[in-house]
Each structure stands twice: as structure tokens, then as C-alpha cells.
Amino acid sequence: MVVYGGGSGKVKDLIKKLIPNFIKNLIQRSLFLLKLANGCLYDFTNFARWSATRFPNKNREHLRTIITMDYHRIEKALSLKYSRPGFGKDVVERLLFDLDRYLRSYGLDKTACVAIKVLSVYYDFNKSHGLNDPHLFEMIGRLKEFPGAECESAEGGYLELRKADVLKSAKMDFKSFSASRFSIRDFSSEEVDMKLIEQAVAIAQKTPSVCNRQSWKTYVYSDKKIMSELFELQNGNRGFAEFVNRLIIVSADLQGFTSEGERHQAWTDGGMFSMSLIYAFHSLGVGTCCLNLCHGVKTDKTMKKAARIPDSEVLVMMIAVGHLPEEFKVAASPRKPLQEAFVHVA
């Protein structure tokens, strides 16, 4: 039997000993910078390719984004303490133009219904203040008659609330609630019902987002083979992955963003939604563990393929889900001193 390669290891060890430490450090630093540049280029390419920055109306999702941004601009103005009659005429005209194209291309859906509702509220607001723009109001008036019963229940515009009612609904011991939530790595064998997952996602949908665009997506996995494949690509689940009942990946769609200033917004909105989601699960008595998705370009591509997630979306967070056992251990995870997180700028 002949064994090859025994000498090559000794040669490599000798070469390593001969290379000065500063050269080794330089090589390591250069490799790190190359990986960093590759990751930045990957993020740049994805945002340039999928966002609405260059071609804001090239597909349905882009046009839906623009429409949502504009109807929400009107909603915000209507909710001001002193709304000015006739405000936002340029926004309203643009919304009418885009909405007409949307209806002709894609038909009536939830986005179109909400936009029509907002325009209807805008119309009624200005009419009630004695303002009349015949051409503009004629266009809005035609839209009000367009959908019929299909949009009668659509929400949009503004709501009038009472402080007492808000405080009554909001009153709870949130300090104790949040303090009682821990990352769980020891789940029971009880299956988490999909209706419970849907309920948690519905609660989390109330999360604020830039211009109300709600670009987040929630992918739920139950198949153990797929879950195992995804866990292999995530660094941080060793020792408890086999106990996870459901696995969730939160993503955000880059098609919901429109300028270079929003290049990080997908992670902001997706991160806020993820926080709401784990608190929603906690309120329903379901345990969760947040798992980071900080990885390189190759792993990102591989995970998207394995998770059946489109290239237009960024991976924000993985969440392990399961019921709590009767007794279990958690990491203490002490918090930093308050003065390290709290800065009062006079």
C-alpha cells in the first residue's frame, strides 16, 4: 500500500514557520476585506436589481409600493390636528394616475380598495370644508362608484380615538410580560397548531413599517428534512434543533423600497416585525428562540434555495418555535447597566 501526501503536510508546516507573523496577519486581513467587499457587492447588486429605485413601475409589487406610499401620505395628513383643506393635490393626482394603471393591469385587490377608500375620505373631507376642485373630484367620484360591494368593508383614511379607550385597552404589566419572556431551547413534544402560528402572525401585522408598506414575509416550516437542512446552514442551534417543532424565517421584500436611502430599511422593518412576532407568541403561551442569519454570500444563496424564498427578499431572522415543557432551563442573559443604553441629550 502506498500513501501519498504525508510529506506535503510537513512542507506546509515548514512554510508556515518561515512566513513572518506580520505577513500572516496581512494575508488574513486581506482575505477578510475581500469577503467583506464580496458581501457588500452582493447586497448592492440585490438592492439595485430588485428595489423600485431604478424602475419604480416595472411590476405589480413596485406599483403597489408606490400606491401604498401615496395613500399613506394622505392618511397621515388627514390625521393631523389641523388638516388643511386641499392639501396634497400633487400626491392625489399621482395616486389617481397610478391607481388607474394598477386597476387596468392587475384588477381590484386589497391595495386598490384601501387606496379608493382613502381617496373617498379625502373627497368627503374637502367637501365638508367647502372646497371644490371639479376635475379632481370628478375623477375621485368615478372611483368611488367603481368597486361596488367588493370594497365596502375596506379600511383607510383616519380613525378618531379617545385617550380613555386607548389606555383601557393598553393597560397591562408590560414590564413583567417582557421580563417573563426568555429564549427557549428546550421545547415539549406537543405540536404547535398552525392556527396558533397564524394568530401570532396576525397580531404581529400591527408592527409599524415605513410608509405602511409592510414588506415582511413569514415562512413557516414543519417538514423535519427541510428544517434539518436549514439548521445546517445556521450557526447557533447546536444541541436543541431536534426539539424544535416549527421553524420560521422572517424575510423582507426589496421590491417594497424606492431609494438608496432605504437600503437598510428591509432589516429595520423585518427586525421590528420579528420582535412583535416573538412577543405575540409569548402572549399565546408559545416559546421561541431567535436565531441569527448573519452569514456569507454562498450560505445566503444556498439558504434561500433550500427555504424556497425568492431572490428579491432578504433573510432577516430565523425563529425556533415550540410549546413550553412543564419545567426547563434558560440562559440568564443579564442585561447591560441602564446607563450604557440610556443617553439623555440635553
Side-chain angles (χ1 to χ4, degrees):
M1 182 174 67
V2 180
V3 179
Y4 296 96
S8 62
K10 294 180 179 179
V11 172
K12 288 179 181 178
D13 290 340
L14 180 61
I15 292 174
K16 286 181 180 180
K17 290 179 180 178
L18 291 174
I19 297 176
N21 284 332
F22 81 92
I23 296 292
K24 293 178 185 176
N25 292 335
L26 182 61
I27 292 172
Q28 290 176 348
R29 182 68 177 170
S30 298
L31 290 173
F32 164 76
L33 291 175
L34 283 173
K35 287 182 178 180
L36 178 62
N38 186 43
C40 292
L41 180 61
Y42 177 68
D43 292 340
F44 166 81
T45 303
N46 278 340
F47 192 81
R49 178 184 180 188
W50 295 110
S51 73
T53 307
R54 291 180 58 202
F55 305 107
N57 302 316
K58 72 179 181 182
N59 62 32
R60 181 176 188 168
E61 196 58 42
H62 286 175
L63 193 52
R64 192 204 307 262
T65 294
I66 302 301
I67 288 172
T68 301
M69 289 174 65
D70 277 343
Y71 82 58
H72 192 58
R73 286 186 174 105
I74 299 169
E75 287 186 312
K76 288 187 290 186
L78 286 168
S79 70
L80 295 175
K81 185 174 184 178
Y82 301 110
S83 300
R84 176 178 55 82
F87 72 84
K89 184 177 178 180
D90 56 334
V91 175
V92 173
E93 289 179 342
R94 183 173 63 231
L95 178 56
L96 285 165
F97 176 77
D98 289 335
L99 188 55
D100 178 67
R101 288 194 303 128
Y102 189 86
L103 289 168
R104 284 189 283 106
S105 299
Y106 308 111
L108 195 64
D109 63 5
K110 177 69 178 291
T111 299
C113 284
V114 173
I116 292 169
K117 174 69 174 181
V118 172
L119 287 168
S120 176
V121 174
Y122 175 84
Y123 175 97
D124 294 338
F125 168 79
N126 284 292
K127 280 285 190 179
S128 68
H129 285 79
L131 185 68
N132 188 29
D133 184 327
H135 174 66
L136 190 63
F137 288 178
E138 181 186 354
M139 294 174 66
I140 298 175
R142 286 203 299 267
L143 273 177
K144 287 174 68 176
E145 299 171 2
F146 175 82
E150 193 166 352
C151 281
E152 284 184 4
S153 61
E155 299 174 300
Y158 64 94
L159 302 173
E160 293 183 337
L161 305 176
R162 291 173 55 85
K163 177 181 177 180
D165 295 333
V166 172
L167 294 181
K168 182 179 179 181
S169 297
K171 190 173 182 180
M172 66 174 293
D173 186 0
F174 186 73
K175 180 180 178 181
S176 295
F177 173 81
S178 59
S180 66
R181 190 267 157 196
F182 291 89
S183 291
I184 308 300
R185 296 174 177 86
D186 178 13
F187 301 102
S188 76
S189 58
E190 181 185 356
E191 185 173 285
V192 179
D193 193 288
M194 281 303 297
K195 291 190 181 299
L196 208 55
I197 305 276
E198 291 175 6
Q199 191 177 347
V201 174
I203 294 170
Q205 283 288 98
K206 194 64 170 62
T207 302
S209 65
V210 62
C211 296
N212 196 39
R213 281 175 259 175
Q214 304 170 55
S215 63
W216 49 68
K217 299 283 180 66
T218 310
Y219 292 86
V220 184
Y221 305 91
S222 304
D223 185 278
K224 293 298 182 182
K225 184 178 179 181
I226 297 176
M227 289 170 61
S228 177
E229 188 176 357
L230 294 174
F231 277 132
E232 283 291 323
L233 297 167
Q234 194 278 333
N235 182 26
N237 60 79
R238 186 175 299 173
F240 71 94
E242 63 269 26
F243 304 120
V244 177
N245 184 250
R246 309 277 191 187
L247 184 63
I248 287 175
I249 292 182
V250 175
S251 71
D253 196 339
L254 292 175
Q255 295 178 103
F257 304 100
T258 63
S259 72
E260 73 282 356
E262 294 182 336
R263 64 192 182 278
H264 300 139
Q265 194 64 40
W267 287 276
T268 300
D269 285 7
M272 291 175 66
F273 174 79
S274 298
M275 188 73 247
S276 294
L277 185 58
I278 66 170
Y279 273 147
F281 276 121
H282 186 46
S283 74
L284 297 172
V286 178
T288 57
C289 185
C290 298
L291 303 170
N292 79 77
L293 291 181
C294 304
H295 46 228
V297 173
K298 183 179 178 181
T299 302
D300 192 78
K301 291 179 177 179
T302 305
M303 180 170 282
K304 281 183 179 179
K305 185 177 180 180
R308 284 70 163 172
I309 295 176
D311 289 338
S312 63
E313 298 174 26
V314 297
L315 307 180
V316 177
M317 183 177 294
M318 183 182 282
I319 303 174
V321 179
H323 281 294
L324 305 177
E326 292 303 318
E327 295 182 355
F328 54 97
K329 293 186 294 184
V330 298
S333 302
R335 304 293 94 178
K336 289 181 178 180
L338 179 62
Q339 57 267 29
E340 291 190 25
F342 179 78
V343 180
H344 180 201
V345 182

